[in-house]
Amino acid sequence: MQAGGQGFESPQLHHSPAPRPMLRHSLPYASLQVTVGLFTIFVVTLVCLACSQSSKDGPTPLLPSPPDDRDAGVVALDELQSYCTSLTTDDNPYLGPALRDRLSGVYERSRPSDPALLGELAILLSTEQLRAGDAVSAVGLLEAALAAQPDPAGPVATTLLDALSLAYLKMGELSNCTTVDGRYTCVLPVDGGEGHSDRRGSEGAIRVLIRLLDIEPDNLTARWLLNVAHMTLGTYPDGVPSEFLADLEPDSGADSETGGIGRFEEIAPSAGIYDLTLAGGAVVDDFDNDGLLDIVASSWHPCVGLQFYRNGGDGRFVNVTSAAGLTGQLGGLNIVQADYDNDGWTDLLILRGGWLISDGEMRVSLLRNEQGVFRDVTADAGLAEPARPGQVGAWADYDNDGDLDLYLCNEAASGDVNPDGVTTWGPSPSQLMRNRGNGTFEDVAEAAGVLNERYCKGAAWGDYDGDGLADLYVSNFEQPNRLYRAVGDGSFVDVTIELGVQEPHSSFATWWWDYDNDGDLDIYVAGFDDDVRIYISGLFGDVRDQSDAAGVARLFRNDGSGGFDDVTSEVGLDAPAMVMGAGFGDLDGDGFQDIVLGTGSVDFDALTPNLAYRSVGGQSFVDVSVAAGLGHLGKGHGVAFGDLDRDGDQDVFVQIGGFYPGDAFSDALYRNPSHGNAWVTVLLEGTRSARSAIGALIAVDIETPDGSVRTVYAHVGTGGSFGGSSLQQEMGLGDASRIVRLTVTWPATGTVETFADVPMNAHVRIVESEGRFSVLDRPPVPLGSRQSP
């Protein structure tokens, strides 16, 4: 698609990290320019001739084909089914088979005798085969093309080696890591004795990478992938040549200086959760009001339905998707939860179409929870139109009328048709959907001054200036972010530049939090850079100043006077990362919030571990990804915290998967090892404020063993971006000896209630204006084990 009029030259370039060619070299050498130019004409001509011809069947898909029928009684959404079918049978660059089929036909008919042309065609076709999950065919194709090259160290051979190493690694992943037990072999560090049982993929990758590094010894990506391949075989670090060794030993997150952190145990299959999906959303919350947290996960694949796992309280989860009325709810890059109608049952909102531009014009789904069974009320609520691509939704009671309103970011909207007949695309205005209180919403974004009209990748509400009004931070990709301050009449003013919170340039996940426990809200906004070399350079001693790199996050500390200070470097969060989904919670129960980042990109060389940062007393952060066992090599997306076994510490669910069918992976559930700290879990119920109390402030004053008193704060919300953490506030209290007092500030009225004699290590329920609390009988329950089910 070409742009014209007011649109962008490349719609994918500006709306999200788009799929780039698998190889960085792409034959850029001057000696090949004429040859490649002729080859391009050759391929285009043959592909066009092949468009009308049948092609061979592709590989067996890892993900289900569009369903042919649906049981009576389930939620049958015809428009979702139609959307599914259209995107998996056309030229969609992520999901459609057309390009692969055409290239396959070209390859079978032409088989160019020129080695350079053969190499380029093999690269094009193998890329599509990998995206479809057919790594074996990709390896064979590339090996044959490589053997035909007259110069084994020339630019064509080098590019083929690069592609072949990725194909071998993907082959090893598909044959080892996607099984129930094999998932352990894709978490750093790989435990001894748990390397790949099928060694062909990693051994082939090592052979190819050594050959590539003989030609390009400074190739950072090749050096990193060599380390990864050895880790999967259990031969890291001894098997890696010293000049290529990356330092991935457990770091200072485990030493006595920072207090250490235990290793989280990944238990998803033994807990009843195992399904291969692509990138999506995740929510941990209690959807059936039985006092146990459940899990809901989605996949952006338009033919894959929502998965609802009910916590059985016996260590396992039961998939009750059909019984909950969720069959037919296909696709969804993100999910957010809230009790929008104040009936005491937590509802769901599914966001669809993100990354897809013109292919993504699919409505959201607002799913009303009717005593544990969900009903799609999108059209009745006024949210079905306009249907625009999006992946961001944020709930808050911005007008303090006692019900929750919704901010929706839309990625693109159709524009004018240029003289060539091509539809242009540009950023779409966001929507502020005001809750009328009768189950319907109205869009007041323009009147409120929050249209944004930029490619938004995250949005979060928080009262940063303590005036009792929810303010709005919007994270925009490749355009300045925005902070909208509420002025009290239902409108907002943009104070971004004034307060200096417009960076980073390539923003993604964002949230408000009180990371330093000083009582006011700070801003975290993740950066994104899909060049894997930005991340891995530090592993090889590259100490360049990367503070301005696109993939570097920003932490803006609230100065308590209405302003913010950029403390990113000061606290140790200035390392580049490819952040997709992200969330925060208290990993070790010390009362300070930690971070878990899901990393990756659409590209297959984006084999970087997910990241975890532990707060050191609210003053700095240390990388504990390896020490905590949270460094999953799968592409992390939705991250959700929740105390699933009711033992007082937060477990972590990570929705994992890439963007092509060949990049499917199983989700991960990490059981907290417990760190021996005190805790209290607070369930708030609003009466004049919204029922789920989003926006409320909880302050717990605790006495420590030395007699001093400190305060732990929580602001009620669902956590980060692409993951919804439990709305009950699970507060670690560190070494507290007792709770001195607990204070709640209710959002709609500003009413402050203070409670004494609140017990520690208990679940406490507080209803607005009742003036008392109740202790709930919620004993711990089992939560899986590492043993196979």
Side-chain angles (χ1 to χ4, degrees), residues 532-590:
V532 69
R533 292 168 296 180
I534 298 296
Y535 165 75
I536 63 179
S537 59
L539 299 176
F540 297 101
D542 189 333
V543 294
R544 291 175 298 172
D545 179 12
Q546 297 176 324
S547 58
D548 293 329
V552 173
R554 293 293 188 276
L555 177 58
F556 297 109
R557 185 182 65 83
N558 193 322
D559 65 10
S561 301
F564 293 89
D565 297 317
D566 185 346
V567 297
T568 312
S569 297
E570 176 184 328
V571 302
L573 290 176
D574 55 350
M578 299 188 293
V579 179
M580 297 195 300
F584 68 91
D586 191 351
L587 292 172
D588 53 3
D590 66 351

Short mmCIF file of all heavy atoms in Angstrom, two decimals, residues 532-590:
data_model
loop_
_atom_site.label_atom_id
_atom_site.label_comp_id
_atom_site.label_asym_id
_atom_site.label_seq_id
_atom_site.Cartn_x
_atom_site.Cartn_y
_atom_site.Cartn_z
N VAL A 532 17.54 -5.82 17.92
CA VAL A 532 18.01 -6.65 19.03
C VAL A 532 19.41 -6.26 19.47
O VAL A 532 19.79 -6.45 20.63
CB VAL A 532 17.94 -8.14 18.63
CG1 VAL A 532 18.97 -8.46 17.55
CG2 VAL A 532 18.16 -9.04 19.84
N ARG A 533 20.18 -5.65 18.59
CA ARG A 533 21.56 -5.29 18.94
C ARG A 533 21.60 -4.22 20.03
O ARG A 533 22.56 -4.14 20.79
CB ARG A 533 22.30 -4.82 17.70
CG ARG A 533 22.54 -5.92 16.68
CD ARG A 533 23.01 -5.36 15.35
NE ARG A 533 21.99 -4.52 14.72
CZ ARG A 533 22.14 -3.92 13.56
NH1 ARG A 533 23.27 -4.07 12.89
NH2 ARG A 533 21.18 -3.18 13.04
N ILE A 534 20.55 -3.38 20.10
CA ILE A 534 20.51 -2.35 21.14
C ILE A 534 20.51 -3.01 22.52
O ILE A 534 21.19 -2.57 23.44
CB ILE A 534 19.26 -1.47 20.96
CG1 ILE A 534 19.32 -0.73 19.62
CG2 ILE A 534 19.12 -0.49 22.10
CD1 ILE A 534 20.46 0.24 19.50
N TYR A 535 19.75 -4.09 22.65
CA TYR A 535 19.68 -4.78 23.94
C TYR A 535 20.96 -5.55 24.24
O TYR A 535 21.52 -5.46 25.34
CB TYR A 535 18.49 -5.73 23.98
CG TYR A 535 18.57 -6.72 25.11
CD1 TYR A 535 18.31 -6.31 26.42
CD2 TYR A 535 18.96 -8.03 24.90
CE1 TYR A 535 18.43 -7.19 27.48
CE2 TYR A 535 19.07 -8.92 25.96
CZ TYR A 535 18.81 -8.50 27.24
OH TYR A 535 18.94 -9.37 28.28
N ILE A 536 21.44 -6.32 23.27
CA ILE A 536 22.52 -7.26 23.58
C ILE A 536 23.89 -6.61 23.65
O ILE A 536 24.84 -7.23 24.14
CB ILE A 536 22.56 -8.41 22.55
CG1 ILE A 536 22.86 -7.87 21.15
CG2 ILE A 536 21.27 -9.19 22.55
CD1 ILE A 536 22.93 -8.95 20.09
N SER A 537 24.01 -5.37 23.22
CA SER A 537 25.34 -4.74 23.24
C SER A 537 25.92 -4.71 24.64
O SER A 537 27.12 -4.92 24.84
CB SER A 537 25.27 -3.33 22.65
OG SER A 537 24.36 -2.52 23.39
N GLY A 538 25.07 -4.47 25.64
CA GLY A 538 25.55 -4.40 27.01
C GLY A 538 26.07 -5.72 27.53
O GLY A 538 26.88 -5.76 28.47
N LEU A 539 25.62 -6.83 26.97
CA LEU A 539 26.06 -8.14 27.42
C LEU A 539 27.50 -8.42 27.03
O LEU A 539 28.13 -9.34 27.57
CB LEU A 539 25.16 -9.23 26.82
CG LEU A 539 23.67 -9.15 27.19
CD1 LEU A 539 22.90 -10.23 26.45
CD2 LEU A 539 23.49 -9.29 28.70
N PHE A 540 28.02 -7.63 26.11
CA PHE A 540 29.39 -7.84 25.64
C PHE A 540 30.29 -6.66 26.00
O PHE A 540 31.26 -6.36 25.31
CB PHE A 540 29.40 -8.08 24.13
CG PHE A 540 28.65 -9.31 23.72
CD1 PHE A 540 27.37 -9.22 23.21
CD2 PHE A 540 29.22 -10.57 23.87
CE1 PHE A 540 26.67 -10.35 22.84
CE2 PHE A 540 28.52 -11.70 23.51
CZ PHE A 540 27.24 -11.60 23.00
N GLY A 541 29.93 -5.96 27.08
CA GLY A 541 30.80 -4.91 27.58
C GLY A 541 30.69 -3.60 26.85
O GLY A 541 31.54 -2.72 27.03
N ASP A 542 29.65 -3.42 26.02
CA ASP A 542 29.48 -2.15 25.33
C ASP A 542 28.86 -1.16 26.32
O ASP A 542 27.71 -1.31 26.72
CB ASP A 542 28.55 -2.34 24.12
CG ASP A 542 28.51 -1.11 23.22
OD1 ASP A 542 28.75 -0.01 23.74
OD2 ASP A 542 28.23 -1.26 22.02
N VAL A 543 29.62 -0.17 26.70
CA VAL A 543 29.16 0.78 27.73
C VAL A 543 28.84 2.14 27.13
O VAL A 543 28.88 3.16 27.80
CB VAL A 543 30.21 0.93 28.85
CG1 VAL A 543 30.36 -0.37 29.61
CG2 VAL A 543 31.57 1.36 28.27
N ARG A 544 28.44 2.16 25.87
CA ARG A 544 28.07 3.42 25.26
C ARG A 544 26.88 4.03 25.99
O ARG A 544 26.04 3.33 26.55
CB ARG A 544 27.69 3.20 23.78
CG ARG A 544 28.85 2.82 22.88
CD ARG A 544 28.33 2.50 21.49
NE ARG A 544 27.42 1.35 21.53
CZ ARG A 544 26.70 0.95 20.48
NH1 ARG A 544 26.75 1.61 19.35
NH2 ARG A 544 25.92 -0.11 20.58
N ASP A 545 26.80 5.35 25.99
CA ASP A 545 25.65 6.03 26.57
C ASP A 545 24.45 5.77 25.69
O ASP A 545 24.38 6.23 24.55
CB ASP A 545 25.92 7.53 26.67
CG ASP A 545 24.74 8.29 27.26
OD1 ASP A 545 23.81 7.63 27.79
OD2 ASP A 545 24.74 9.53 27.18
N GLN A 546 23.50 5.03 26.20
CA GLN A 546 22.30 4.68 25.44
C GLN A 546 21.06 5.33 26.02
O GLN A 546 19.94 4.91 25.76
CB GLN A 546 22.13 3.16 25.40
CG GLN A 546 23.28 2.45 24.70
CD GLN A 546 23.14 0.94 24.75
OE1 GLN A 546 22.67 0.37 25.73
NE2 GLN A 546 23.53 0.28 23.68
N SER A 547 21.24 6.36 26.82
CA SER A 547 20.11 6.97 27.52
C SER A 547 19.10 7.58 26.56
O SER A 547 17.94 7.75 26.92
CB SER A 547 20.62 8.06 28.48
OG SER A 547 21.36 9.05 27.78
N ASP A 548 19.52 7.90 25.35
CA ASP A 548 18.60 8.47 24.38
C ASP A 548 18.10 7.45 23.37
O ASP A 548 17.38 7.80 22.43
CB ASP A 548 19.27 9.63 23.62
CG ASP A 548 19.54 10.83 24.54
OD1 ASP A 548 18.75 11.02 25.48
OD2 ASP A 548 20.53 11.53 24.31
N ALA A 549 18.48 6.19 23.53
CA ALA A 549 18.03 5.16 22.59
C ALA A 549 16.52 5.01 22.69
O ALA A 549 15.91 5.21 23.73
CB ALA A 549 18.72 3.84 22.89
N ALA A 550 15.92 4.62 21.55
CA ALA A 550 14.47 4.52 21.51
C ALA A 550 13.93 3.51 22.49
O ALA A 550 12.81 3.63 22.99
CB ALA A 550 14.02 4.16 20.09
N GLY A 551 14.73 2.49 22.79
CA GLY A 551 14.25 1.42 23.67
C GLY A 551 14.45 1.68 25.14
O GLY A 551 14.22 0.78 25.96
N VAL A 552 14.86 2.87 25.53
CA VAL A 552 15.08 3.17 26.94
C VAL A 552 13.82 3.75 27.56
O VAL A 552 13.20 4.66 27.00
CB VAL A 552 16.26 4.14 27.12
CG1 VAL A 552 16.39 4.59 28.57
CG2 VAL A 552 17.56 3.49 26.67
N ALA A 553 13.44 3.21 28.71
CA ALA A 553 12.25 3.69 29.42
C ALA A 553 12.51 5.05 30.04
O ALA A 553 13.62 5.58 30.02
CB ALA A 553 11.87 2.68 30.49
N ARG A 554 11.45 5.61 30.63
CA ARG A 554 11.58 6.81 31.44
C ARG A 554 10.83 6.57 32.75
O ARG A 554 9.72 6.04 32.76
CB ARG A 554 10.98 8.03 30.74
CG ARG A 554 11.71 8.49 29.49
CD ARG A 554 13.10 9.03 29.79
NE ARG A 554 13.70 9.62 28.62
CZ ARG A 554 14.36 8.94 27.67
NH1 ARG A 554 14.48 7.63 27.79
NH2 ARG A 554 14.87 9.56 26.63
N LEU A 555 11.47 6.96 33.83
CA LEU A 555 10.81 7.01 35.12
C LEU A 555 10.81 8.46 35.57
O LEU A 555 11.86 9.06 35.81
CB LEU A 555 11.55 6.14 36.16
CG LEU A 555 10.97 6.19 37.58
CD1 LEU A 555 9.51 5.75 37.60
CD2 LEU A 555 11.79 5.33 38.53
N PHE A 556 9.62 9.03 35.65
CA PHE A 556 9.47 10.41 36.06
C PHE A 556 8.98 10.44 37.51
O PHE A 556 7.87 10.01 37.82
CB PHE A 556 8.46 11.13 35.16
CG PHE A 556 8.88 11.22 33.72
CD1 PHE A 556 8.24 10.48 32.75
CD2 PHE A 556 9.93 12.05 33.33
CE1 PHE A 556 8.62 10.55 31.41
CE2 PHE A 556 10.32 12.13 32.00
CZ PHE A 556 9.66 11.38 31.04
N ARG A 557 9.83 10.92 38.40
CA ARG A 557 9.48 10.99 39.83
C ARG A 557 8.70 12.26 40.12
O ARG A 557 9.09 13.36 39.75
CB ARG A 557 10.76 10.96 40.68
CG ARG A 557 10.48 10.90 42.19
CD ARG A 557 11.77 10.93 42.99
NE ARG A 557 12.48 12.19 42.80
CZ ARG A 557 12.21 13.32 43.49
NH1 ARG A 557 11.24 13.33 44.38
NH2 ARG A 557 12.91 14.41 43.25
N ASN A 558 7.58 12.09 40.78
CA ASN A 558 6.76 13.22 41.20
C ASN A 558 7.50 13.99 42.29
O ASN A 558 7.91 13.41 43.31
CB ASN A 558 5.42 12.68 41.73
CG ASN A 558 4.38 13.76 41.91
OD1 ASN A 558 4.67 14.87 42.31
ND2 ASN A 558 3.13 13.40 41.61
N ASP A 559 7.71 15.28 42.09
CA ASP A 559 8.47 16.07 43.07
C ASP A 559 7.61 16.58 44.21
O ASP A 559 8.10 17.30 45.10
CB ASP A 559 9.21 17.22 42.39
CG ASP A 559 8.27 18.26 41.77
OD1 ASP A 559 7.04 18.20 42.02
OD2 ASP A 559 8.76 19.13 41.02
N GLY A 560 6.30 16.22 44.19
CA GLY A 560 5.42 16.63 45.27
C GLY A 560 4.91 18.04 45.15
O GLY A 560 4.10 18.49 45.98
N SER A 561 5.35 18.76 44.14
CA SER A 561 4.92 20.14 43.94
C SER A 561 4.28 20.36 42.58
O SER A 561 4.24 21.48 42.07
CB SER A 561 6.13 21.08 44.10
OG SER A 561 6.72 20.94 45.38
N GLY A 562 3.81 19.27 41.98
CA GLY A 562 3.16 19.39 40.68
C GLY A 562 4.09 19.18 39.51
O GLY A 562 3.65 19.34 38.36
N GLY A 563 5.34 18.82 39.75
CA GLY A 563 6.29 18.62 38.67
C GLY A 563 6.90 17.23 38.73
O GLY A 563 6.61 16.42 39.62
N PHE A 564 7.79 16.96 37.77
CA PHE A 564 8.42 15.65 37.67
C PHE A 564 9.91 15.79 37.38
O PHE A 564 10.33 16.74 36.69
CB PHE A 564 7.77 14.81 36.57
CG PHE A 564 6.35 14.43 36.84
CD1 PHE A 564 5.31 15.26 36.45
CD2 PHE A 564 6.04 13.25 37.50
CE1 PHE A 564 3.99 14.93 36.71
CE2 PHE A 564 4.73 12.90 37.76
CZ PHE A 564 3.70 13.73 37.37
N ASP A 565 10.69 14.85 37.90
CA ASP A 565 12.11 14.77 37.61
C ASP A 565 12.38 13.44 36.90
O ASP A 565 11.88 12.40 37.33
CB ASP A 565 12.94 14.82 38.90
CG ASP A 565 12.76 16.12 39.64
OD1 ASP A 565 12.76 17.18 39.00
OD2 ASP A 565 12.62 16.07 40.89
N ASP A 566 13.17 13.47 35.84
CA ASP A 566 13.56 12.25 35.14
C ASP A 566 14.69 11.59 35.92
O ASP A 566 15.81 12.09 35.96
CB ASP A 566 14.02 12.60 33.73
CG ASP A 566 14.34 11.36 32.88
OD1 ASP A 566 14.46 10.26 33.46
OD2 ASP A 566 14.46 11.49 31.65
N VAL A 567 14.38 10.47 36.58
CA VAL A 567 15.36 9.79 37.41
C VAL A 567 15.73 8.43 36.83
O VAL A 567 16.26 7.56 37.54
CB VAL A 567 14.84 9.62 38.86
CG1 VAL A 567 14.62 10.97 39.51
CG2 VAL A 567 13.55 8.79 38.89
N THR A 568 15.50 8.23 35.55
CA THR A 568 15.70 6.93 34.92
C THR A 568 17.10 6.39 35.14
O THR A 568 17.28 5.25 35.60
CB THR A 568 15.42 7.02 33.41
OG1 THR A 568 14.19 7.71 33.19
CG2 THR A 568 15.36 5.64 32.78
N SER A 569 18.10 7.18 34.79
CA SER A 569 19.49 6.73 34.95
C SER A 569 19.86 6.61 36.41
O SER A 569 20.56 5.67 36.82
CB SER A 569 20.44 7.69 34.24
OG SER A 569 20.19 7.72 32.85
N GLU A 570 19.38 7.52 37.21
CA GLU A 570 19.71 7.54 38.64
C GLU A 570 19.28 6.25 39.34
O GLU A 570 19.99 5.75 40.23
CB GLU A 570 19.03 8.74 39.29
CG GLU A 570 19.18 8.86 40.78
CD GLU A 570 18.39 10.04 41.33
OE1 GLU A 570 18.25 11.05 40.61
OE2 GLU A 570 17.90 9.93 42.47
N VAL A 571 18.14 5.68 38.93
CA VAL A 571 17.63 4.49 39.61
C VAL A 571 17.99 3.19 38.90
O VAL A 571 17.64 2.11 39.35
CB VAL A 571 16.09 4.56 39.78
CG1 VAL A 571 15.70 5.80 40.55
CG2 VAL A 571 15.38 4.49 38.44
N GLY A 572 18.68 3.27 37.75
CA GLY A 572 19.16 2.07 37.08
C GLY A 572 18.19 1.44 36.10
O GLY A 572 18.27 0.24 35.84
N LEU A 573 17.30 2.23 35.53
CA LEU A 573 16.34 1.70 34.56
C LEU A 573 16.62 2.19 33.14
O LEU A 573 15.73 2.22 32.29
CB LEU A 573 14.91 2.10 34.96
CG LEU A 573 14.35 1.43 36.20
CD1 LEU A 573 12.97 1.99 36.54
CD2 LEU A 573 14.28 -0.08 36.03
N ASP A 574 17.88 2.54 32.86
CA ASP A 574 18.22 3.14 31.57
C ASP A 574 18.78 2.14 30.57
O ASP A 574 19.38 2.53 29.57
CB ASP A 574 19.20 4.29 31.75
CG ASP A 574 20.46 3.88 32.51
OD1 ASP A 574 20.49 2.76 33.08
OD2 ASP A 574 21.41 4.68 32.57
N ALA A 575 18.56 0.85 30.80
CA ALA A 575 19.02 -0.15 29.83
C ALA A 575 17.97 -0.30 28.73
O ALA A 575 16.77 -0.39 29.02
CB ALA A 575 19.25 -1.49 30.51
N PRO A 576 18.38 -0.33 27.45
CA PRO A 576 17.41 -0.50 26.37
C PRO A 576 16.71 -1.84 26.44
O PRO A 576 17.27 -2.84 26.92
CB PRO A 576 18.26 -0.39 25.10
CG PRO A 576 19.55 0.24 25.53
CD PRO A 576 19.75 -0.17 26.95
N ALA A 577 15.48 -1.89 25.99
CA ALA A 577 14.73 -3.14 25.96
C ALA A 577 13.68 -3.06 24.87
O ALA A 577 13.28 -1.97 24.44
CB ALA A 577 14.06 -3.40 27.32
N MET A 578 13.24 -4.23 24.43
CA MET A 578 12.18 -4.32 23.43
C MET A 578 10.88 -4.67 24.16
O MET A 578 10.42 -5.79 24.14
CB MET A 578 12.52 -5.35 22.37
CG MET A 578 13.80 -5.03 21.62
SD MET A 578 14.09 -6.14 20.21
CE MET A 578 14.37 -7.67 21.06
N VAL A 579 10.30 -3.70 24.84
CA VAL A 579 9.16 -3.96 25.72
C VAL A 579 7.87 -3.98 24.93
O VAL A 579 7.56 -3.05 24.19
CB VAL A 579 9.08 -2.89 26.82
CG1 VAL A 579 7.87 -3.15 27.72
CG2 VAL A 579 10.36 -2.87 27.65
N MET A 580 7.11 -5.05 25.08
CA MET A 580 5.78 -5.13 24.47
C MET A 580 4.71 -5.03 25.56
O MET A 580 3.93 -4.09 25.58
CB MET A 580 5.64 -6.42 23.68
CG MET A 580 6.61 -6.52 22.51
SD MET A 580 6.18 -7.81 21.31
CE MET A 580 6.24 -9.27 22.31
N GLY A 581 4.64 -6.00 26.46
CA GLY A 581 3.73 -5.90 27.58
C GLY A 581 4.52 -5.70 28.85
O GLY A 581 5.72 -5.99 28.92
N ALA A 582 3.86 -5.18 29.89
CA ALA A 582 4.59 -4.89 31.11
C ALA A 582 3.62 -4.75 32.27
O ALA A 582 2.46 -4.41 32.09
CB ALA A 582 5.40 -3.60 30.94
N GLY A 583 4.13 -5.00 33.46
CA GLY A 583 3.32 -4.83 34.65
C GLY A 583 4.20 -4.62 35.86
O GLY A 583 5.41 -4.86 35.82
N PHE A 584 3.58 -4.17 36.95
CA PHE A 584 4.35 -3.98 38.17
C PHE A 584 3.61 -4.61 39.35
O PHE A 584 2.39 -4.78 39.34
CB PHE A 584 4.61 -2.49 38.44
CG PHE A 584 3.38 -1.68 38.79
CD1 PHE A 584 2.98 -1.53 40.10
CD2 PHE A 584 2.64 -1.07 37.79
CE1 PHE A 584 1.86 -0.78 40.42
CE2 PHE A 584 1.51 -0.33 38.10
CZ PHE A 584 1.11 -0.18 39.42
N GLY A 585 4.37 -4.98 40.34
CA GLY A 585 3.84 -5.57 41.56
C GLY A 585 5.00 -5.76 42.52
O GLY A 585 6.13 -5.36 42.24
N ASP A 586 4.71 -6.36 43.66
CA ASP A 586 5.74 -6.53 44.68
C ASP A 586 6.21 -7.98 44.68
O ASP A 586 5.61 -8.85 45.31
CB ASP A 586 5.16 -6.15 46.04
CG ASP A 586 6.22 -6.04 47.12
OD1 ASP A 586 7.38 -6.42 46.86
OD2 ASP A 586 5.87 -5.59 48.23
N LEU A 587 7.29 -8.26 43.97
CA LEU A 587 7.77 -9.62 43.82
C LEU A 587 8.21 -10.25 45.13
O LEU A 587 8.03 -11.45 45.34
CB LEU A 587 8.94 -9.66 42.83
CG LEU A 587 8.62 -9.35 41.35
CD1 LEU A 587 9.91 -9.24 40.56
CD2 LEU A 587 7.71 -10.42 40.77
N ASP A 588 8.81 -9.47 46.02
CA ASP A 588 9.37 -10.04 47.24
C ASP A 588 8.66 -9.59 48.50
O ASP A 588 9.09 -9.91 49.61
CB ASP A 588 10.87 -9.72 47.35
CG ASP A 588 11.15 -8.23 47.20
OD1 ASP A 588 10.19 -7.45 47.08
OD2 ASP A 588 12.34 -7.85 47.22
N GLY A 589 7.57 -8.84 48.38
CA GLY A 589 6.77 -8.47 49.53
C GLY A 589 7.41 -7.50 50.48
O GLY A 589 7.04 -7.44 51.67
N ASP A 590 8.36 -6.68 50.00
CA ASP A 590 9.05 -5.74 50.89
C ASP A 590 8.34 -4.40 50.98
O ASP A 590 8.80 -3.49 51.68
CB ASP A 590 10.50 -5.55 50.46
CG ASP A 590 10.63 -4.88 49.10
OD1 ASP A 590 9.60 -4.72 48.40
OD2 ASP A 590 11.77 -4.54 48.72
#
